[in-house]
């Protein structure tokens, strides 16, 4: 495991160690491979005598698990944060936060923004230091800019086709076929940007970045980049973390926006029932029994049956509402009121 800093894209600079970063306000990024474990301390200094809690938000359960020990205590104290990347974690960058809450006063003290960069097993850890710059090049110049940078600046002793494919997919955020990648590399060879040597490895023919980027058809890239930008703008409307493998339909996003309004007025429980009745389609007499690791169990009083399903999207929505996993339903007035409130808003909106 290693740590790099990511910054909002404004301008490119260098750290004291020569690693290239995009500068502005930093976010610490933990760099891990699937199956790895990392622990680090988090000191909570105050307010002295107040009970303070630490909560992780927005880390996808399919990517990693996080344990905080202790999760709450009387300040000052130090908690140990343990993060375990799942064996089947999809490579990519995932954002999450550690939220510090003064439980005595019921207010948020601060948020520690973090990121988790999952690397494919056969990529060197050093590529993490280039990730932010590669993402910017991808937005501006597309595949050819990224591949040239990988060949000229990262794999300085020659890059194999497999290495380029894995690294490019990490930067792109989605798979690319071998055939498409081969076409792009042949085009770069014809332009005199790179050459293919013995053993099938690729080497740069142009080592100057400005000269290399000048040979890339920016007009064509600008069209695809603008479309990508439109998709990115739409994605920013969502609260899902970057590189999330969760697909968020537009209708679900709208429902969650309404659920957030309900939560502000009536509490998270009413908002949760609204999502269950509107997105899942649970009957009006039904109730959510359990939520655990993206698995949900709901029961229908009319039929007497219980059903289960898996939903990373609903799991994430519940996390954003501040709900905790476990047994969800209680035979209490609080739950009855929450269910009635949810039904009222389902009829109002739909």
């Amino acid at each position: 495991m290693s740590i790099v800093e990511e910054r909002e894209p404004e301008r490119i600079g260098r750290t004291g160690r020569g690693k290239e970063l995009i500068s502005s306000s930093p976010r610490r990024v933990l760099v891990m491979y699937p199956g790895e474990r990392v622990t680090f301390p988090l000191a909570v200094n105050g307010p002295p005598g107040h009970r303070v809690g630490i909560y992780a938000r927005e880390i996808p359960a399919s990517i990693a698990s996080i344990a905080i020990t202790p999760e709450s205590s009387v300040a000052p104290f130090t908690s140990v944060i343990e993060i375990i990347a799942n064996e089947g974690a999809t490579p990519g960058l995932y954002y999450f936060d550690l939220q510090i809450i003064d439980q005595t006063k019921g207010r948020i003290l601060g948020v520690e923004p973090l990121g988790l960069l999952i690397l494919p097993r056969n990529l060197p850890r050093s590529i993490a230091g280039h990730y932010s710059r590669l993402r910017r090049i991808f937005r501006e110049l597309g595949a050819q800019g990224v591949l040239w940078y990988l060949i000229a600046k990262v794999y300085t002793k020659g890059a194999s086709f497999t290495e380029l494919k894995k690294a490019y997919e990490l930067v792109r955020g989605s798979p690319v076929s071998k055939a498409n990648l081969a076409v792009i590399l042949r085009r770069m060879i014809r332009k005199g940007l790179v050459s293919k040597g013995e053993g099938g490895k690729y080497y740069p023919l142009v080592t100057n970045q400005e000269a290399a980027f000048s040979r890339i058809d920016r007009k064509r890239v600008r069209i695809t980049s603008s479309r990508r930008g439109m998709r990115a703008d739409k994605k920013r409307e969502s609260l899902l973390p970057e590189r999330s493998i969760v697909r968020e339909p537009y209708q679900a996003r709208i429902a969650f926006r309404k659920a957030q309004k309900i939560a502000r007025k009536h509490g998270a429980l009413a908002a949760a029932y609204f999502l269950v009745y509107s997105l899942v389609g649970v009957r009006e007499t039904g109730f959510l029994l359990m939520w655990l690791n993206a698995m949900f169990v709901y029961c229908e009083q009319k039929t007497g049956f219980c059903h289960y399903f898996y939903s990373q999207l609903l799991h994430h929505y519940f996390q954003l509402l501040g709900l905790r996993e476990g047994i969800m339903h209680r035979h209490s007035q609080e739950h009855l009121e929450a269910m009635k409130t949810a039904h009222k808003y389902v009829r109002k909106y739909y």
Side-chain angles (χ1 to χ4, degrees), residues 189-255:
I189 291 173
R190 288 198 301 269
K191 290 181 178 181
L193 287 170
V194 300
S195 65
K196 189 175 182 180
E198 294 183 4
K201 289 195 171 184
Y202 293 85
Y203 300 89
L205 288 178
V206 180
T207 56
N208 180 273
Q209 178 173 297
E210 185 177 352
F213 288 174
S214 69
R215 299 189 186 185
I216 296 174
D217 187 355
R218 290 174 178 267
K219 183 178 180 181
R220 181 177 182 181
V221 171
R222 192 155 47 241
I223 294 173
T224 57
S225 294
S226 64
R227 290 174 181 168
R228 249 183 239 115
M230 289 171 64
R231 287 198 295 269
D233 289 340
K234 290 180 180 179
K235 191 172 184 178
R236 277 192 288 272
E237 295 174 3
S238 166
L239 292 177
L240 293 180
E242 183 177 334
R243 283 285 295 122
S244 171
I245 62 174
V246 179
R247 179 177 174 271
E248 186 184 27
Y250 176 75
Q251 293 87 345
R253 183 186 307 168
I254 294 300

Side-chain angles (χ1 to χ4, degrees), residues 91-209:
L93 178 60
Y94 302 88
Y95 293 137
F96 68 101
D97 297 321
L98 292 179
Q99 193 172 65
I100 319 299
I101 298 178
D102 184 343
Q103 296 176 331
T104 302
K105 292 291 187 180
R107 60 192 180 93
I108 298 176
L109 297 175
V111 175
E112 177 74 12
L114 297 170
L116 184 61
L117 179 60
I118 303 293
L119 297 177
R121 294 185 187 277
N122 52 356
L123 283 186
R125 201 180 296 271
S126 59
I127 201 170
H130 300 274
Y131 182 81
S132 293
R133 186 179 183 93
L134 284 165
R135 285 288 302 168
R136 179 177 177 182
I137 292 172
F138 179 69
R139 288 192 292 267
E140 295 178 355
L141 297 170
Q144 291 188 34
V146 170
L147 292 171
W148 177 87
Y149 187 90
L150 289 169
I151 295 168
K153 304 295 184 181
V154 179
Y155 297 102
T156 55
K157 295 182 179 180
S160 69
F161 184 89
T162 300
E163 288 171 332
L164 291 175
K165 184 175 186 296
K166 290 293 183 182
Y168 176 58
E169 287 177 336
L170 176 69
V171 174
R172 182 185 180 192
S174 60
V176 62
S177 69
K178 293 181 179 180
N180 285 344
L181 187 64
V183 168
I184 297 171
L185 288 168
R186 285 197 296 268
R187 190 176 296 131
M188 294 176 68
I189 291 173
R190 288 198 301 269
K191 290 181 178 181
L193 287 170
V194 300
S195 65
K196 189 175 182 180
E198 294 183 4
K201 289 195 171 184
Y202 293 85
Y203 300 89
L205 288 178
V206 180
T207 56
N208 180 273
Q209 178 173 297

Side-chain angles (χ1 to χ4, degrees), residues 5-10 15 21-27 132:
E5 281 188 350
E6 184 186 73
R7 301 170 182 261
E8 294 300 320
E10 289 184 356
T15 66
L21 298 173
I22 298 178
S23 60
S24 185
S25 57
R27 175 190 288 264
S132 293

